[in-house]
Amino acid sequence: MADLPPAQNPFAHTDVPVIQLIQSGRSEVQWAGDPQGLSAKDMAMYLVMPELDGRLAGLLVGHKADAVWHQRCQVP
C-alpha cells in the first residue's frame, strides 16, 4: 500500500501494523515434506522483505498448486 497516494490508502492515517499473510510457493505436500517449510524464495518474499518495510509476518494461509498446464507457454 506504500505506492498508493495517501488519499487512496486506507492505512495512511492510522497507527496500526500491517500483517503480511504467507502463501507458500510450493504445494502443500512439498511444504509438509520439508523440515524447513518455506523455500528460500518464500522466506525472502514473505519474511525478510516485509520485515524491512515494517510489515509483520503472519500465518501461512495457502499453497500454490498446478491447475492447468499452458502448452504454448510451457508453464503451469
Side-chain angles (χ1 to χ4, degrees), residues 27-76:
S27 70
E28 187 174 0
V29 171
Q30 290 172 315
W31 174 78
D34 184 346
Q36 182 171 322
L38 297 174
S39 68
K41 178 183 173 187
D42 288 339
M43 289 193 320
M45 294 296 295
Y46 297 111
L47 298 175
V48 177
M49 288 174 45
E51 184 175 315
L52 294 176
D53 68 15
R55 290 177 278 164
L56 302 174
L59 302 172
L60 181 66
V61 295
H63 299 276
K64 294 187 179 179
D66 298 341
V68 177
W69 178 259
H70 296 275
Q71 186 64 33
R72 183 174 179 193
C73 298
Q74 294 292 301
V75 297

Side-chain angles (χ1 to χ4, degrees), residues 13-28:
H13 303 291
T14 63
D15 188 23
V16 297
V18 175
I19 298 173
Q20 172 74 42
L21 298 177
I22 300 171
Q23 179 177 343
S24 175
R26 301 176 180 185
S27 70
E28 187 174 0

